[in-house]
Amino acid sequence: MSTTFNDLPPELLVPILSPLPESSIVRCARVSREWNAFATPVLYRRVAVYSWNKNAKTRAAALMRTLAQRPDIARWVKHIDVRDFYRDFEFLTGQEEEREEVYEHCDRGLANCLNLESCVWPRHGTLTTSMILALSRLPRLERLELNAKSGTYEPADLVRIRQIRALGLTMPDKPAVDVLQRWFQAISDAGREDGEEGGLRDLRVICQSTNYIGDSMLARLAPYLTRLETFHLLGCPKADHVGVAAVLKVCSSTIRHLSLENVSLNFDLAELAMGIELPRLESLTLTLPTPPTPHEPFLKGLLQLTAASPLAALTLSLPATVAPPSTSLVLYNPSVAQQNTAPQPREYPHFTTEFARKLAQQHASTFRKLAITRLPTPLEAVETICAYCRKIETLIIPVHQFDWPRLAAAISASSLPYLRTLHMSYPTSPRIRPFIRHELVAVTVLTELAASCSLTLEQIGQINKVYEVVRKWDKGTDTTSVVLDRWLGPQFPEAFQVVRA
């Protein structure tokens, strides 16, 4: 008796459909009523509108209208990510009714998402108090990321959202920062009422143009962050090692992911590392100090801070405003090659081979990812990392020097048998990049590089190009060839996530 796909137990359809791209799931939903019943929850499990989508605002409004009018669909939604939406001033005079309808759809749409676990709404001027109230009533909401600059909502109402365990705040102004202590205490108390360890597990703050998150505020928030596992500060110019230490001391036994990017110029990593051990730290993201501040104590502090940690991922970068002329990338140009390999000024930070060796020896058994941005990195340092850390899965490096045979040998299948992502990142600051000539390596060169890597390699890229590594089998010759295809993965490429403008 022959068996068809329809003979599979229905419960197996969900794990089969889940990894498929959205377009494929849509086609599956049209096969039959049975398939539709299983494909629809998968299709609407995560809904997202990004700012780079065509007609993003219109699509976002249509999404919220659907969720408001179709509660049967809204109940399948577990993750909402809306990166663009209409602001008040974008409605013309005479469109008050349309504006009210759009925001009414937001309120009702969120309220209908009874199983919502994560909400990302970072567009300034689009969050309202009624939306906050709708979010506060969702019992399964655990993660919230929002633009915390007030004006369209009442900051005091944030305290109503007590069920979350992960929080991301972008551009918090003073009225929003003033309620943080009360909000964090409410979250902590709510956890204890449910019989759990109270408090946030994940806190991410992006200030950039605001500076209300400093040492004194971090010290006041620390007592409610004792169970913190992820701590991320970006662009907080008043937060230095004193405030960070206040937080890490209360959660040193639980912290797993730490990211400190573009914080105070007075931040002293060596001082922070004194007296603090992080036995569970798995990933660390740091921005090196701006020259002429010496970088050797900073790198030594990094090694000291992670001495007792099972470090698996390290991301290092220089501020976007800093980049020496000698890191410009012009390939196959003999007249500039000498300039590209010229010695760097002594005070200028770079990822030295000596530091690479110490880092690799310290974390060889756990290291999985290295991402370096705008930090001059000699090929010897890359070879050292690859020689010691054979379990690396992600490698993002500045293309400062090129010796393709040596690079291919360093990242070959025999050297890095688990490599999944390889990207040659920008070597210069985004602010000066438009004035520097960047010649992309021929795709044939990248293809040869990918062919020398492990069969696990899925993605390869350079500068602003990302490719999917596809292996095609030729039946006639019984051989497999490597082809680089357009990247269509569901996730934004990691290479671009680590680049901070």
Side-chain angles (χ1 to χ4, degrees):
M1 178 183 296
S2 61
T3 302
T4 65
F5 194 80
N6 289 330
D7 295 323
L8 288 173
E11 59 270 16
L12 291 181
L13 283 177
V14 172
I16 292 175
L17 296 176
S18 296
L20 297 178
E22 183 177 308
S23 57
S24 298
I25 299 176
V26 171
R27 288 194 290 269
C28 291
R30 297 171 179 170
V31 171
S32 65
R33 290 183 179 179
E34 291 76 12
W35 278 48
N36 184 275
F38 286 94
T40 299
V42 176
L43 185 63
Y44 285 96
R45 181 175 52 192
R46 183 181 186 276
V47 292
V49 178
Y50 299 111
S51 56
W52 55 83
N53 292 147
K54 186 177 181 180
N55 300 321
K57 294 182 178 63
T58 304
R59 295 178 63 174
L63 167 64
M64 301 312 296
R65 181 174 63 249
T66 299
L67 297 180
Q69 298 175 351
R70 295 289 304 274
D72 57 320
I73 289 179
R75 68 190 179 98
W76 299 119
V77 178
K78 293 186 177 181
H79 308 279
I80 288 180
D81 190 343
V82 177
R83 304 277 174 167
D84 201 359
F85 205 75
Y86 290 105
R87 298 184 187 179
D88 271 346
F89 65 83
E90 292 175 317
F91 290 93
L92 301 177
T93 303
Q95 293 182 324
E96 288 78 8
E97 292 185 2
E98 180 181 350
R99 178 201 174 279
E100 292 180 2
E101 183 182 23
V102 168
Y103 277 95
E104 182 183 354
H105 288 157
C106 289
D107 301 339
R108 289 171 50 199
L110 290 174
N112 287 338
C113 296
L114 298 178
N115 296 307
L116 191 67
E117 298 175 359
S118 170
C119 179
V120 179
W121 202 281
R123 180 69 168 169
H124 167 54
T126 62
L127 183 69
T128 65
T129 293
S130 56
M131 292 168 63
I132 291 176
L133 296 180
L135 290 169
S136 69
R137 301 187 184 103
L138 300 178
R140 299 188 178 182
L141 184 66
E142 294 186 350
R143 176 177 293 275
L144 178 63
E145 297 183 30
L146 53 85
N147 189 298
K149 190 172 184 178
S150 61
T152 57
Y153 73 93
E154 178 55 50
D157 288 324
L158 292 172
V159 182
R160 297 173 179 266
I161 306 177
R162 305 182 179 187
Q163 72 276 35
I164 58 173
R165 291 294 174 265
L167 177 63
L169 299 174
T170 302
M171 308 297 183
D173 56 7
K174 192 175 188 304
V177 171
D178 287 343
V179 305
L180 288 185
Q181 186 174 357
R182 189 155 50 97
W183 188 12
F184 286 15
Q185 182 178 0
I187 294 172
S188 182
D189 293 341
R192 295 192 187 98
E193 292 172 2
D194 295 336
E196 303 176 357
E197 291 284 349
L200 290 170
R201 304 295 189 270
D202 187 327
L203 176 61
R204 305 165 192 257
V205 181
I206 301 177
C207 288
Q208 298 291 64
S209 61
T210 61
N211 57 6
Y212 300 105
I213 300 294
D215 289 345
S216 58
M217 176 54 63
L218 291 175
R220 291 198 295 270
L221 298 179
Y224 312 107
L225 301 175
T226 57
R227 305 301 298 173
L228 204 62
E229 297 179 5
T230 298
F231 185 38
H232 182 178
L233 294 179
L234 171 61
C236 299
K238 287 193 175 182
D240 65 18
H241 55 279
V242 177
V244 174
V247 174
L248 292 183
K249 285 179 180 178
V250 301
C251 64
S252 59
S253 62
T254 60
I255 196 75
R256 297 174 56 199
H257 310 285
L258 178 62
S259 179
L260 305 170
E261 302 179 84
N262 296 323
V263 290
S264 171
L265 295 177
N266 298 321
F267 180 81
D268 190 333
L269 186 61
E271 187 71 22
L272 174 67
M274 294 180 61
I276 292 182
E277 288 190 355
L278 306 177
R280 298 187 62 191
L281 187 67
E282 299 175 8
S283 71
L284 180 63
T285 299
L286 295 171
T287 301
L288 271 72
T290 304
T293 303
H295 65 281
E296 290 85 356
F298 187 92
L299 296 179
K300 290 180 180 178
L302 190 160
L303 294 174
Q304 182 179 351
L305 183 67
T306 62
S309 306
L311 192 66
L314 176 64
T315 299
L316 291 178
S317 65
L318 285 176
T321 55
V322 179
S326 58
T327 62
S328 60
L329 170 63
V330 183
L331 302 181
Y332 310 123
N333 190 333
S335 63
V336 185
Q338 185 176 1
Q339 176 190 358
N340 282 353
T341 58
Q344 301 300 317
R346 182 174 301 176
E347 72 278 3
Y348 196 86
H350 50 286
F351 192 88
T352 65
T353 304
E354 180 183 1
F355 172 73
R357 178 179 55 79
K358 293 179 179 179
L359 177 70
Q361 290 176 340
Q362 187 167 294
H363 302 291
S365 62
T366 58
F367 214 58
R368 299 291 188 277
K369 169 188 167 184
L370 176 65
I372 306 175
T373 306
R374 295 186 295 273
L375 186 63
T377 305
L379 186 54
E380 291 81 359
V382 177
E383 291 174 324
T384 300
I385 291 289
C386 295
Y388 283 91
C389 307
R390 290 175 46 80
K391 296 181 181 179
I392 282 184
E393 299 176 3
T394 300
L395 188 60
I396 301 173
I397 52 176
V399 283
H400 175 52
Q401 295 173 331
F402 270 88
D403 187 331
W404 293 111
R406 283 180 59 186
L407 180 60
I411 63 174
S412 66
S414 59
S415 300
L416 300 180
Y418 307 105
L419 187 65
R420 295 182 179 274
T421 299
L422 173 65
H423 195 95
M424 277 69 79
S425 70
Y426 289 115
T428 59
S429 162
R431 300 194 179 192
I432 68 173
R433 190 179 303 131
F435 308 102
I436 299 176
R437 181 184 174 211
H438 292 277
E439 295 182 1
L440 299 181
V441 180
V443 176
T444 54
V445 176
L446 284 183
T447 303
E448 293 176 1
L449 196 61
S452 68
C453 292
S454 169
L455 295 177
T456 58
L457 189 69
E458 300 172 349
Q459 180 188 122
I460 190 170
Q462 56 164 333
I463 313 301
N464 60 348
K465 299 290 184 181
V466 175
Y467 302 95
E468 180 181 1
V469 180
V470 180
R471 291 171 177 81
K472 295 186 176 181
W473 176 63
D474 188 296
K475 182 178 180 180
T477 60
D478 192 23
T479 58
T480 301
S481 60
V482 172
V483 178
L484 301 189
D485 206 347
R486 179 184 175 188
W487 176 255
L488 296 175
Q491 301 297 327
F492 200 59
E494 171 76 8
F496 299 128
Q497 294 183 30
V498 301
V499 177
R500 302 293 183 180

